[in-house]
Amino acid sequence: ITTPKVKVAGTGGAGKELPGLSYLTKVIRLLSTEIDAIRSAASDEVGSNAGPIIQDQSTEEKSEGTMWQQHLAPQDSSLSSRHIRRKGCLMFLKELFCKARVSLQQPEKDEFIDSSVSNSKLLHLLGAILSDPNIDVDEQGAALEIVSVIAMHDPSVIRRHCLQGAGTAPDNSSNEMFSCLRPDPNDHREVIFICPPNDLLLSILFVMATATDAGILLQTSEIIRIILDTDIVGDQGTSLNGSFMNEENDINAINSQNVRHDAGSEEQNSFLALFYDRYIQWLVAPFQYKIFISNSILPLLSESNRDDSFSAINRIRQEFKHRSASEEKSLTLVAEFAVRFSFTLEILSFCVRAHVYRMKFFILRTRLLGTILKMLCKKASHPHQIASGGKCLKLASLKFLRSVLSVKDEFYHRHIVQYNLFAPVFDAFRMIPVGRNLISSAILEMCDFVRTENIKSLLEYIVTKHLTKSAPPGEKSLEDIANPHVDTFAQLRRTHEENIGMHLDPNEEPQGSGGTTFNGRPAPVINKKALEDQRKYREAESEDSYFNDDDDDDDEVMEPLPNDQNTSSPTVMSDTASLLADVSSLE
């Protein structure tokens, strides 16, 4: 594994030491050769000038005099043998990186991972593997395991790699080049996902949008979350803030007051700007469109064919946009998978809490919240999806809404009220029996959160729009459904009435109003809290007037406080009248 030293004969018989090729470097070179050959054969471009990312031979190899070969796999150039050698290289690298992570001390681990990533094109190769739609689960899992080790060691390594490969310079050619990578739907709301093999971050999102294995999806979602969590440093510094399923209180939202003005913070902000500009669209695309993938794969990109490859991608996308995808035999429709949606919603929920401002603008601009909440009432296309992932998907959708509410941003509240986004939530509440049910419990907890936090705009919206609305014939109202178990909706109504400063009692006629009502309803009566505040104010005012009075005559009678018809009793009023009568008789 370590880099050996080899002696090379020099002039005059003297020998000198040159660094030899380590076994790890040879494996990475072999992996590059096999990946390039497989992709070139699959794309019918064997004779192209793309060439492998890393050349087969180097100056150091030639100095050794012999070509390096490994003998645990077939050595012929057939496609099946190349697949075997590619898988063998991946399995070796996976075991090596996992062993290094748990066995090496921190300085040795830092040196190993940094040298493995910086002195080779390993991350480019892993992106090429993950972007292959024909890859098997074992190779996909091995590539993700290597990326996971690197991400947990230092997430900034992957961020820097993405920034360098994305061409973040604000030139027109870069913007036009990467504009073809965003979703571009046709008239049937269908998009084609073509992933360039050298883009690691887009390759990870490609796996997230197309995989059907729950283990692969969990591993991919953790990698994305680690990369996007700019608060963590990894194995080199602070911890990873717990497991993937952290609660909202365990995540510190990033805001403008907590930004660190250093090089690391600038890099993080640049990466997040890149992610929200070019990549997050593919993370939410499965909720908005039907996704198709091409059965063929692109050759590896190099500096010589980079522009041609992006032009080819753009041409394929334009052809797809102007004709039906069902007519294309070379395309495959990605089936809807509830577990995949659930993991994606976990990532989006994390983004809502961690990237408060960037995610807020994205949600409000794309109306993503309404698109996701529609899945609460969406029927599964297959009966087994209801048992396997339908409930999980509904819970993840509710958790996303709960994350939005936890931010307590008035822009979100206005967005919810404007587009009536609680309608699918309460429709799902009516469809699912209350009691011993996670979905109905999550909805009730969400409503209770609105009440305890006293979000007035949402309280008014829920009470006036959904609680006071008469239910259709033969259907119970929300309060009738929930009251046998909890009184959450009744408390919502009570809190709303307290917020508007009045309560309406239909059995009590207000005094002094002559029985008049407004629109058939009793006139408003000041509630108890308002009466108590008025009483305290009058007492404080009377005490202040006592000390401000210059007249110390003890015989002067203080005028009584203004009477309140709802608080003064008949006994107090009769005592006051008799006292005034005695004073008049004395005069």
Side-chain angles (χ1 to χ4, degrees):
I1 303 302
T2 58
T3 302
K5 300 290 184 179
V6 295
K7 285 190 176 182
V8 181
T11 58
K16 62 178 181 179
E17 288 189 354
L18 290 177
L21 288 177
S22 67
Y23 189 83
L24 174 61
T25 304
K26 294 178 180 180
V27 171
I28 294 177
R29 292 177 185 274
L30 177 62
L31 178 62
S32 172
T33 303
E34 303 304 337
I35 291 175
D36 178 72
I38 292 172
R39 297 187 75 95
S40 298
S43 59
D44 295 328
E45 295 181 8
V46 180
S48 65
N49 58 355
I53 291 180
I54 306 174
Q55 300 297 327
D56 291 337
Q57 290 185 333
S58 63
T59 305
E60 292 82 4
E61 275 185 307
K62 291 180 180 179
S63 66
E64 293 182 3
T66 58
M67 287 292 296
W68 178 80
Q69 291 182 342
Q70 47 81 35
H71 303 283
L72 299 181
Q75 298 299 306
D76 60 284
S77 59
S78 63
L79 196 59
S80 59
S81 298
R82 292 188 182 278
H83 279 285
I84 295 175
R85 290 196 292 271
R86 183 182 68 177
K87 185 174 182 179
C89 292
L90 280 174
M91 294 303 171
F92 168 77
L93 292 174
K94 183 195 78 169
E95 294 295 335
L96 178 62
F97 274 78
C98 292
K99 192 70 174 177
R101 182 175 185 269
V102 299
S103 300
L104 295 181
Q105 297 296 326
Q106 193 62 46
E108 289 80 6
K109 188 196 309 182
D110 297 342
E111 182 181 0
F112 169 75
I113 294 181
D114 293 341
S115 61
S116 301
V117 175
S118 60
N119 297 334
S120 66
K121 299 293 184 180
L122 180 60
L123 293 178
H124 285 288
L125 297 175
L126 295 175
I129 293 170
L130 295 175
S131 63
D132 188 351
N134 304 318
I135 201 78
D136 64 11
V137 176
D138 293 335
E139 294 181 71
Q140 202 174 47
L144 288 172
E145 189 69 31
I146 299 171
V147 177
S148 177
V149 172
I150 299 173
M152 286 187 289
H153 169 74
D154 187 4
S156 62
V157 173
I158 297 180
R159 296 191 196 115
R160 286 194 298 268
H161 171 78
C162 296
L163 289 173
Q164 293 171 0
T168 55
D171 56 333
N172 295 330
S173 61
S174 175
N175 295 331
E176 292 176 0
M177 181 181 299
F178 286 91
S179 63
C180 67
L181 300 181
R182 299 188 184 95
D184 189 12
N186 57 15
D187 297 336
H188 304 282
R189 298 191 64 80
E190 300 169 339
V191 294
I192 181 171
F193 199 159
I194 302 178
C195 182
N198 297 60
D199 195 331
L200 177 61
L201 184 55
L202 192 61
S203 299
I204 295 175
L205 295 176
F206 179 81
V207 176
M208 197 69 210
T210 59
T212 55
D213 184 88
I216 295 294
L217 290 170
L218 175 60
Q219 200 171 20
T220 307
S221 60
E222 288 215 24
I223 293 173
I224 296 175
R225 188 258 172 119
I226 292 174
I227 297 174
L228 293 178
D229 192 351
T230 54
D231 278 347
I232 65 176
V233 179
D235 293 339
Q236 290 182 322
T238 58
S239 64
L240 293 176
N241 291 337
S243 61
F244 177 71
M245 303 296 182
N246 276 343
E247 295 295 333
E248 63 182 1
N249 293 330
D250 297 332
I251 298 179
N252 297 322
I254 299 177
N255 52 51
S256 58
Q257 298 177 354
N258 296 329
V259 174
R260 298 185 302 271
H261 300 284
D262 54 5
S265 178
E266 183 179 355
E267 175 188 292
Q268 293 169 3
N269 290 333
S270 300
F271 174 77
L272 290 179
L274 174 69
F275 176 78
Y276 281 94
D277 180 45
R278 297 177 180 173
Y279 292 101
I280 194 174
Q281 292 85 359
W282 282 115
L283 190 62
V284 302
F287 301 101
Q288 300 170 330
Y289 315 111
K290 291 182 179 180
I291 296 181
F292 287 82
I293 58 175
S294 176
N295 297 329
S296 60
I297 55 179
L298 298 173
L300 292 178
L301 302 182
S302 62
E303 294 298 331
S304 60
N305 71 341
R306 187 180 185 89
D307 295 338
D308 296 337
S309 298
F310 278 101
S311 298
I313 294 175
N314 196 24
R315 184 179 64 254
I316 295 173
R317 288 162 56 92
Q318 292 300 323
E319 292 176 356
F320 170 83
K321 188 175 180 179
H322 294 93
R323 57 185 176 184
S324 176
S326 59
E327 302 174 357
E328 295 288 341
K329 297 182 180 179
S330 61
L331 300 178
T332 302
L333 174 64
V334 178
E336 294 183 354
F337 190 46
V339 177
R340 184 198 306 132
F341 288 158
S342 302
F343 281 117
T344 305
L345 287 173
E346 290 285 348
I347 300 173
L348 294 175
S349 299
F350 165 78
C351 291
V352 168
R353 301 187 300 267
H355 313 142
V356 177
Y357 297 104
R358 297 181 189 273
M359 196 63 181
K360 177 178 68 175
F361 295 144
F362 178 77
I363 291 177
L364 297 181
R365 185 176 69 252
T366 61
R367 300 182 186 178
L368 176 64
L369 183 58
T371 303
I372 291 176
L373 291 179
K374 289 180 182 178
M375 307 193 75
L376 288 170
C377 301
K378 185 177 181 180
K379 295 183 179 179
S381 57
H382 300 285
H384 72 275
Q385 289 185 355
I386 300 177
S388 61
K391 294 181 180 179
C392 181
L393 174 58
K394 292 181 179 180
L395 286 173
S397 302
L398 292 173
K399 184 175 182 179
F400 180 70
L401 176 59
R402 181 66 171 80
S403 300
V404 170
L405 294 177
S406 67
V407 177
K408 292 184 285 188
D409 193 302
E410 189 60 30
F411 284 99
Y412 279 136
H413 304 160
R414 295 174 184 173
H415 182 73
I416 292 173
V417 174
Q418 180 181 0
Y419 295 101
N420 193 20
L421 297 185
F422 264 90
V425 175
F426 291 131
D427 289 342
F429 184 81
R430 288 188 175 93
M431 291 179 355
I432 300 172
V434 183
R436 297 182 181 181
N437 187 290
L438 285 176
I439 297 176
S440 59
S441 299
I443 295 174
L444 291 172
E445 188 277 335
M446 198 181 313
C447 294
D448 189 66
F449 173 80
V450 173
R451 181 188 64 83
T452 55
E453 295 295 330
N454 198 16
I455 306 176
K456 296 182 180 179
S457 57
L458 292 183
L459 278 170
E460 180 181 4
Y461 158 69
I462 294 175
V463 172
T464 59
K465 187 73 176 181
H466 296 283
L467 295 188
T468 60
K469 182 177 66 173
S470 59
E475 183 178 344
K476 295 182 178 180
S477 64
L478 292 174
E479 292 178 277
D480 295 336
I481 296 174
N483 281 341
H485 305 275
V486 291
D487 59 346
T488 304
F489 294 118
Q491 293 180 8
L492 272 176
R493 183 185 294 277
R494 191 177 306 116
T495 304
H496 171 64
E497 292 173 352
E498 292 177 356
N499 285 338
I500 62 178
M502 60 183 64
H503 71 274
L504 302 175
D505 189 358
N507 298 323
E508 179 181 355
E509 183 175 346
Q511 298 180 8
S513 63
T516 60
T517 59
F518 180 74
N519 289 341
R521 303 182 70 179
V525 181
I526 301 178
N527 60 18
K528 295 181 180 180
K529 187 176 185 303
L531 292 174
E532 182 66 19
D533 292 341
Q534 288 186 7
R535 185 187 63 81
K536 292 180 180 180
Y537 174 75
R538 285 195 294 267
E539 289 180 355
E541 189 179 26
S542 63
E543 292 177 358
D544 293 341
S545 63
Y546 174 80
F547 289 106
N548 293 331
D549 194 358
D550 294 334
D551 189 3
D552 296 331
D553 188 6
D554 295 334
D555 296 334
E556 184 179 2
V557 180
M558 297 180 58
E559 294 183 2
L561 295 175
N563 293 326
D564 193 309
Q565 59 183 1
N566 293 311
T567 56
S568 59
S569 61
T571 305
V572 175
M573 295 182 64
S574 60
D575 293 340
T576 304
S578 60
L579 180 60
L580 292 175
D582 294 340
V583 172
S584 301
S585 61
L586 290 176
E587 292 178 351

